[in-house]
Amino acid sequence: MIPRPLARSRGSVNSDRTLGTAVKHLLDPPNERSTGGLCAPRQLFDGSPLRSPAPWNRLLFQHSRNDLNREALSLFLEARRSGRPLDDSSLSCVLKACGCLWDRNLGRQLHGLCVKCGHGSGVGVGASLLDMYLKCDGVDDGVRVFDSMPDRNVVSWTSLLTGYSQKGLHDDAFELFSRMQSEGIRPNPFTFATVLASAAARGVLENGRQMHGQLIKFGYQGAVFVCNPLINMYSRCGLVEEARAVFNRMVNRDAVSWNAMVAGLVSNGYESEAVQEFRHMRAAGRKPTQSSFATMVKLCANLKQLAFARQLHCCVVKEGFELDANVITALMVVYSKCSEMDDAFELFCMLGARSVVSWTAMINGYIQNGDVSRAAFLFGQMRLDAVEPNDFTYSILLTASPRISPFQIHAQIIKTKFQQVASVGTALLAAYTKLGNTCEAFCVFRGIKGKDIVAWSAMLACYAQAGDSEGAVKLFTEMARTGIDANEFTLSSAIDACASPTASADQGKQFHAISIKLKYENTLCVSTALVTMYARRGSIESAQGVFDRQSVRDQVSWNSMLMGYAQHGYAKKALELFTDVESRGIEMDGITFIGVIIACTHAGLVEEGKKHFESMVHNHRIGPTVEHYACMVDLYSRAGKLEEAMSLIKEMPFPASATVWRTLLGACRLHRNVELGELAAEKLMSLEPSHSAAYVLLSNMYAAAGRWAERAKIRKLMDARKVKKEAGCSWIQIKNKVHSFLASDRSHPMSDKIYSKLEDITIRLKEKGYQPNTDYVLHHTEEEHKEVMLAQHSERLAIAFGLIATPHGTPLQIAKNLRVCGDCHTAIKLITEIEQREIVIRDSSRFHHFNRGSCSCGDYW
């Protein structure tokens, strides 16, 4: 919005009578403030026959200096009615009063009067008009006034610069400053202060440095009014040492100087230095202001320093700031973060006029401390008190999803027209993501105006959670086309989506290449996402390579690598990594112990797993969750210790989940414990009556025991309850295309070649001494037919296709939705020896790395 020459319009000139009507509404109801000693001089003046405007102006100036803006307008009206002469000073003063009252309509009428009386071209009146319009949000009107001024001084230029800066038009401010200098106007300290404020707001260091050089050139480097925004600018740009250098060179410092320095240290994480500077401020005899206390209280909130916050609270009361809304709100925040909600609520009740900021702070405090119902109640009270929520209020409420329904909040957002605001839309999108509602999340995303990188990243994270790699790739491509550059969080979400079993094998590698190109591959979130992605996609060596290259690791990095080793059956490496974590003193969480117990489970290390579980509870004080108990039940069950598993289930402090009973039932089928299996199946069916797992496992257990009548009953029960068995499916990706197979499947275009290869493999397997184990065929049929059924399992079809569709020696990666049967496991080991291929299969339980006649699981899975 750069000023351009425009012709003046006289269409806004109104009569004095209209002006009087406009002023009159400002005096109803009558202002009850006392004018003090102004009454007596005014009475003397009322009887004076003077025709000079000077006495009126003096009285106008007194009203203005005392912030009696309504009285100033009333006096001006009386002067007009009595025919008193007015000059530029009178109009400048009354325009200032109008700006302070934010009355743009009255300001337009006064503008018309200025033009009518021939005072509109003066520099003083022009600057006052400009200032009035900018204060009343009339930037366009202000620009028109500026363009119409025949003479502009530094005050006029600075006024427009201030308007631009206050309205967030920082690029326009920089351009106007350059134009000002090109027209030969010398900036004053106030000009530099305004432009530095814009540089600080935008975080534009280059512009800020240029301003610094110019103000030194003009000799303003010692002016307090200039140094304060200079400190703020360097602090906002993260250059604390430069800010400190400016502060240290200041001969005179006011409260703003100290506040700017302390605030800069706090915002850049220099907490101890900020406390030290605050003490220096008090030692220098400078009394802390409300802003000083608010900044220090914010520091206490960041560090959760309750004792220091209470000390500051005492100082606040001592200095008489206990009713200041900003300070009280800051104290509410620190008490909330320190879980002292009673103290926070007491302060909240002390506030006379509660703003949306104080309401939001209180609501946020209750949500952070887990009292969502109280937060929801406060939100209702806030609406009853006619306080309108802002974007931050809605964003905070949405973090409580799903405990607070996002659908209800969504309705409120639509009513208050916040649905298109980026911050609110992104929070709403994230709330629907928690519910797994990708469709609603995408609708919200499409409705956001001016999508920033945070919104794009949130939508990518939604696709990652849903395992929709195709949707994530399309969205990432669309984002690139719109000209938005990816950051490390965007890339990490896209990489997470590629960890899905259905994702293309090369998609994750492509995003890895993009991260290298954009120089984000070494950032913590991207490298950790790469470790997880490669581990889940079966390339544990690539995951280890990324992990080894990490210069900085956090808890998530260690957990990702540990879980990767565990899922791939590398128990020894997982336990070595766990020992390394312990020796380094890295804080461990529940996920760390889930990883180490899974590693013990896959290696049959029962006592080792039990030891780590007990260490988690007793040494690390981590409360076991249902996931930990499920892992322990799996540990005991796989080892055939079914009684220990059942005892642990009985000792659980909460009801066993479906996962726990499903794990036990699977083990009962494997170890042929029909009695316990029936109990587990009964419990599982009560929890998941429509899920096929309980019926299929129980049916297979009866079949393995030769109890065909009971098996038939279970099959009839499935039909009666309309429960569909999940078909075994395997898939393999060849040249960016995924090929899926069912058992005995002949739908593939290359079916003839696949079955021909399968027959060849079967012949060569038998030559190697392979004997099909028909115990894994749980159907009452002939042995010969059982052998055929085993040979046509979905994973063998996928392997046969992979062998004929890829060059010799190429490793094959196959995924299966069910557990690999024992016979296929034996056959695949021999196939790797016969075909000289490495085969990686990811089944529902873990990864199997088959190579040279052996498997990474050690035949224990």
Side-chain angles (χ1 to χ4, degrees), residues 447-466:
I448 299 173
K449 282 191 175 180
K451 299 178 188 70
D452 56 12
I453 189 64
V454 180
W456 288 95
S457 299
M459 192 63 233
L460 281 167
C462 180
Y463 281 129
Q465 181 177 302

Side-chain angles (χ1 to χ4, degrees), residues 600-655:
C600 293
T601 299
H602 288 162
L605 303 173
V606 178
E607 293 303 317
E608 181 89 0
K610 183 179 177 181
K611 181 190 76 173
H612 287 303
F613 180 79
E614 292 174 349
S615 173
M616 177 189 77
V617 177
H618 301 298
N619 299 338
H620 295 275
R621 307 292 181 187
I622 297 173
T625 64
V626 69
E627 287 81 8
H628 294 102
Y629 280 107
C631 289
M632 287 302 296
V633 169
D634 195 22
L635 174 70
Y636 287 130
S637 299
R638 286 173 189 257
K641 297 179 180 294
L642 301 180
E643 290 184 6
E644 287 89 337
M646 193 63 204
S647 297
L648 184 65
I649 292 172
K650 291 177 180 178
E651 294 171 4
M652 287 171 61
F654 34 72

Side-chain angles (χ1 to χ4, degrees), residues 552-740:
V552 178
R553 299 183 186 125
D554 63 359
Q555 187 184 75
V556 180
S557 307
W558 290 96
N559 286 350
S560 296
M561 196 66 244
L562 177 62
M563 193 67 77
Y565 282 142
Q567 289 291 349
H568 284 263
Y570 295 118
K572 184 179 179 181
K573 288 187 176 182
L575 292 171
E576 286 175 355
L577 192 70
F578 181 80
T579 304
D580 194 9
V581 170
E582 278 190 312
S583 64
R584 292 170 183 261
I586 296 167
E587 184 181 358
M588 291 181 274
D589 62 2
I591 296 174
T592 314
F593 284 95
I594 286 176
V596 77
I597 295 171
I598 288 175
C600 293
T601 299
H602 288 162
L605 303 173
V606 178
E607 293 303 317
E608 181 89 0
K610 183 179 177 181
K611 181 190 76 173
H612 287 303
F613 180 79
E614 292 174 349
S615 173
M616 177 189 77
V617 177
H618 301 298
N619 299 338
H620 295 275
R621 307 292 181 187
I622 297 173
T625 64
V626 69
E627 287 81 8
H628 294 102
Y629 280 107
C631 289
M632 287 302 296
V633 169
D634 195 22
L635 174 70
Y636 287 130
S637 299
R638 286 173 189 257
K641 297 179 180 294
L642 301 180
E643 290 184 6
E644 287 89 337
M646 193 63 204
S647 297
L648 184 65
I649 292 172
K650 291 177 180 178
E651 294 171 4
M652 287 171 61
F654 34 72
S657 67
T659 304
V660 172
W661 291 115
R662 193 183 302 113
T663 300
L664 182 63
L665 178 56
C668 289
R669 185 197 67 78
L670 182 65
H671 297 287
R672 303 194 178 187
N673 189 327
V674 177
E675 183 181 353
L676 187 56
E678 287 175 334
L679 172 64
E682 181 184 347
K683 295 288 188 182
L684 184 55
M685 287 179 189
S686 66
L687 292 172
E688 295 180 342
S690 300
H691 198 285
S692 65
Y695 304 91
V696 173
L697 287 171
L698 184 58
S699 170
N700 291 345
M701 185 170 62
Y702 284 141
R707 295 167 62 171
W708 300 105
E710 285 91 337
R711 179 185 182 274
K713 289 180 182 178
I714 295 299
R715 291 291 178 176
K716 287 180 180 179
L717 182 61
M718 288 180 68
D719 293 337
R721 294 183 178 179
K722 297 181 179 179
V723 176
K724 298 292 184 182
K725 178 187 175 183
E726 183 181 9
C729 179
S730 299
W731 56 93
I732 182 172
Q733 181 185 334
I734 305 292
K735 296 180 179 179
N736 294 322
K737 185 178 180 181
V738 176
H739 302 260
S740 58

Side-chain angles (χ1 to χ4, degrees), residues 184-320:
I185 305 296
R186 178 188 174 95
N188 63 20
F190 298 98
T191 314
F192 279 112
T194 300
V195 182
L196 284 168
S198 283
R202 283 287 305 275
V204 184
L205 180 60
E206 183 180 354
N207 293 76
R209 286 193 186 280
Q210 290 174 358
M211 297 303 109
H212 194 175
Q214 290 188 40
L215 65 89
I216 292 173
K217 177 182 177 182
F218 286 107
Y220 297 142
Q221 67 272 24
V224 175
F225 195 77
V226 173
C227 289
N228 292 344
L230 195 57
I231 293 170
N232 185 40
M233 185 274 297
Y234 280 127
S235 298
R236 290 279 190 93
C237 294
L239 300 178
V240 177
E241 292 306 317
E242 281 80 351
R244 196 194 295 275
V246 174
F247 180 78
N248 290 338
R249 284 196 297 267
M250 292 177 70
V251 179
N252 298 311
R253 301 172 185 140
D254 59 9
V256 178
S257 311
W258 288 97
N259 290 344
M261 192 66 245
V262 172
L265 291 168
V266 171
S267 62
N268 285 280
Y270 292 80
E271 288 88 2
S272 58
E273 290 88 344
V275 173
Q276 187 177 4
E277 210 65 65
F278 180 74
R279 289 173 177 162
H280 288 164
M281 172 185 178
R282 301 195 73 182
R286 179 68 63 182
K287 276 193 172 187
T289 63
Q290 295 98 316
S291 179
S292 311
F293 282 119
T295 300
M296 293 308 297
V297 171
K298 178 184 176 183
L299 182 148
C300 294
N302 294 342
L303 300 178
K304 295 186 178 180
Q305 288 287 337
L306 181 61
F308 188 30
R310 293 197 187 281
Q311 293 174 5
L312 287 171
H313 193 172
C314 293
C315 293
V316 166
V317 174
K318 183 179 178 181
E319 297 293 340

Side-chain angles (χ1 to χ4, degrees), residues 776-824:
Y776 288 100
V777 180
L778 302 174
H779 294 276
H780 200 37
T781 185
E782 299 294 330
E783 285 294 312
E784 186 178 343
H785 185 54
K786 287 182 179 181
E787 290 186 16
V788 172
M789 292 175 70
L790 284 173
Q792 294 178 3
H793 274 186
S794 63
E795 57 266 48
R796 296 205 203 184
L797 292 173
I799 291 171
F801 173 68
L803 291 172
I804 63 177
T806 60
H808 180 72
T810 305
L812 302 181
Q813 279 203 6
I814 295 161
K816 185 175 182 179
N817 63 334
L818 301 179
R819 193 171 181 268
V820 174
C821 80
D823 185 72
C824 287

Side-chain angles (χ1 to χ4, degrees), residues 467-483:
D468 187 353
S469 59
E470 185 178 351
V473 171
K474 286 181 180 178
L475 190 73
F476 190 89
T477 305
E478 181 185 344
M479 183 188 77
R481 286 173 181 167
T482 59

Side-chain angles (χ1 to χ4, degrees), residues 755-772 787 791 796 830-831 834-835:
Y755 276 89
S756 175
K757 181 66 178 178
L758 206 56
E759 288 177 10
D760 176 60
I761 290 172
T762 303
I763 293 170
R764 294 169 70 187
L765 283 173
K766 289 185 177 180
E767 289 175 356
K768 277 279 187 180
Y770 163 73
Q771 291 295 325
E787 290 186 16
R796 296 205 203 184
L830 291 171
I831 290 171
I834 293 169
E835 296 287 343

